[in-house]
Amino acid sequence: MLLRPATADDVPALLDIHNDAVRRLAAIWTDKQETLAERQAWFHGRTGAGLPVIVAVDTAGTILGYGSYGPFRAKEGYRLTMEHSVYVTDAAQGQGVGKALLQRLIDEAKASGVHVLVGAIDAENATSIALHARLGFETTGRLPQVGFKFGRWLDLVLMTLILDAAPAPAAGTAV
């Protein structure tokens, strides 16, 4: 397996993985599948802002999954906190793809000066919660019934990883 930055040519595969997750999983809290144009806009928005979109590919070049992070919230006080997402094809589940992608995002976030990574995880996704815990994330919140999909209420678990011991920026300081 190889991890590499995604390219514009990868966007159709990213769209397939995303829409499969929308159809099958409670990981993305929407029933609306994206169009290619929407996923291209997402990709160019991320990469244009200098944010990573990483793909895992097998020896044949088939994309097995992808990961990215972006702003946790829009206000400037959150500018050093990012929320990440990792999605793996059904066929590649249980092969270490998700772990490799998440570790790469952690490494890239540290190198980019991100202070905290946040994972917002469906509370029923024990596999993802366990993976995050193995990589040092702590459960820092649970929001009951804040979303719904497949005809049921969903709880959201927030897991965070503090990436450095940097002091808070001085008041009024741009970072």
Side-chain angles (χ1 to χ4, degrees):
M1 173 179 49
L2 169 74
L3 299 179
R4 63 167 173 77
T7 69
D9 290 340
D10 297 325
V11 174
L14 304 184
L15 175 67
D16 289 344
I17 293 168
H18 175 86
N19 283 342
D20 182 59
V22 167
R23 286 187 302 272
R24 293 185 316 102
L25 306 174
I28 302 174
W29 292 4
T30 183
D31 295 319
K32 182 187 173 291
Q33 295 183 52
E34 287 189 2
T35 65
L36 181 58
E38 288 169 328
R39 189 71 345 192
Q40 287 170 328
W42 171 87
F43 175 79
H44 292 298
R46 288 281 167 109
T47 58
L51 298 168
V53 179
I54 306 298
V55 292
V57 297
D58 65 15
T59 56
T62 302
I63 294 177
L64 305 172
Y66 73 93
S68 184
Y69 64 72
F72 172 63
R73 297 189 78 184
K75 302 286 189 216
E76 68 185 46
Y78 296 102
R79 68 188 173 274
L80 298 178
T81 300
M82 298 288 159
E83 181 178 347
H84 67 276
S85 297
V86 172
Y87 296 99
V88 176
T89 64
D90 191 42
Q93 293 288 324
Q95 298 176 21
V97 176
K99 180 180 179 184
L101 285 165
L102 184 50
Q103 185 62 62
R104 174 73 172 264
L105 291 176
I106 292 167
D107 295 344
E108 295 222 2
K110 284 181 182 179
S112 296
V114 173
H115 181 61
V116 175
L117 270 181
V118 176
I121 307 165
D122 169 42
E124 295 178 5
N125 191 341
T127 301
S128 183
I129 291 169
L131 169 62
H132 282 77
R134 281 195 308 276
L135 292 179
F137 285 78
E138 296 181 16
T139 299
T140 50
R142 183 183 183 106
L143 306 174
Q145 297 185 11
V146 295
F148 58 91
K149 190 170 180 180
F150 303 134
R152 65 182 194 277
W153 290 112
L154 301 171
D155 295 355
L156 186 68
V157 170
L158 297 176
M159 298 187 77
T160 57
L161 178 64
I162 298 174
L163 300 173
D164 63 31
T173 303
V175 178

